[in-house]
Amino acid sequence: PVSRSDKLILLIQSTAFALIAIATALVPLLTSLEDYFVNGLVYHDSIALFIGMVDKRMNTNALSAYYGRMKDEVLSWELINEMMYRLFSHDYNLDSGFQRKVHFYGND
């Protein structure tokens, strides 16, 4: 026979495993952690400069070429989004949805 304490231990372990699985699935999708889990950006088709997914390095290179000399530091995705919006919004009359993020679970 299975004792009551064994059932309780099994319930606690099962709950812990389920919570860990849910956390593992949802943490990469949090906006505050996107610098760690976003793989790149895909831009609107009208922007021919970028084809397919563009990673952080390629975005930074394009921004350096446009804005001139930049410090050697890793830019956040939030800053990259803001700078790219300023770069393309006037010429292409695009709204803020001209790019989409390729998250940890996605690909191009």
Side-chain angles (χ1 to χ4, degrees):
V2 179
S3 69
R4 185 178 175 114
S5 64
D6 289 338
K7 289 180 184 178
L8 183 62
I9 289 171
L10 182 61
L11 177 67
I12 290 171
Q13 287 177 340
S14 300
T15 304
F17 288 139
L19 291 175
I20 289 171
I22 290 170
T24 302
L26 294 180
V27 164
L29 302 177
L30 295 174
T31 346
S32 58
L33 298 175
E34 70 182 11
D35 282 336
Y36 303 106
F37 293 109
V38 170
N39 292 328
L41 299 172
V42 176
Y43 291 93
H44 193 271
D45 292 337
S46 64
I47 301 174
L49 179 63
F50 301 116
I51 298 173
M53 186 189 80
V54 183
D55 63 0
K56 193 177 269 194
R57 181 184 51 80
M58 288 182 69
N59 275 294
T60 304
N61 289 344
L63 290 170
S64 295
Y66 180 76
Y67 288 108
R69 187 174 155 205
M70 294 175 58
K71 292 181 181 179
D72 276 342
E73 63 182 52
V74 178
L75 301 176
S76 69
W77 281 114
E78 184 179 354
L79 185 58
I80 289 173
N81 289 337
E82 182 181 319
M83 292 174 83
M84 284 296 190
Y85 178 72
R86 281 189 267 148
L87 176 66
F88 291 117
S89 62
H90 298 292
D91 294 337
Y92 291 93
N93 291 326
L94 299 174
D95 59 359
S96 61
F98 75 100
Q99 62 194 10
R100 66 178 172 81
K101 297 173 189 163
V102 179
H103 285 277
F104 182 70
Y105 296 117
N107 57 25
D108 187 18

